[in-house]
Amino acid sequence: MEFKGIYNLHEKQVYRYLLTLCRDEHLAEELTQETFYRAYLQIKNFQGKCNNKD
């Protein structure tokens, strides 16, 4: 999946989560953009593996 598709799939959920943490719509929007910006910069390192032992 291309990054735009990942963004479209998860943006609202990330925004709502951040909004519950900070309770400020403007800040939640900024943090959402920053989150996806950082993810975009690191996408080349993503291997799709999980260390979760559950």
Side-chain angles (χ1 to χ4, degrees):
M1 178 180 293
E2 65 181 41
F3 191 80
K4 183 177 181 179
I6 294 169
Y7 177 85
N8 290 336
L9 186 62
H10 298 287
E11 181 267 337
K12 288 180 183 173
Q13 184 178 4
V14 170
Y15 170 77
R16 285 192 305 264
Y17 173 70
L18 292 168
L19 184 59
T20 63
L21 293 178
C22 68
R23 300 179 190 267
D24 181 308
E25 292 178 1
H26 181 70
L27 181 57
E29 289 174 9
E30 288 185 30
L31 291 170
T32 300
Q33 293 302 315
E34 182 69 15
T35 298
F36 281 97
Y37 173 69
R38 289 179 182 222
Y40 178 77
L41 293 177
Q42 295 298 318
I43 194 84
K44 63 186 174 289
N45 298 323
F46 181 70
Q47 297 176 2
K49 296 179 184 177
C50 179
N51 293 329
N52 191 349
K53 308 250 184 201
D54 290 343

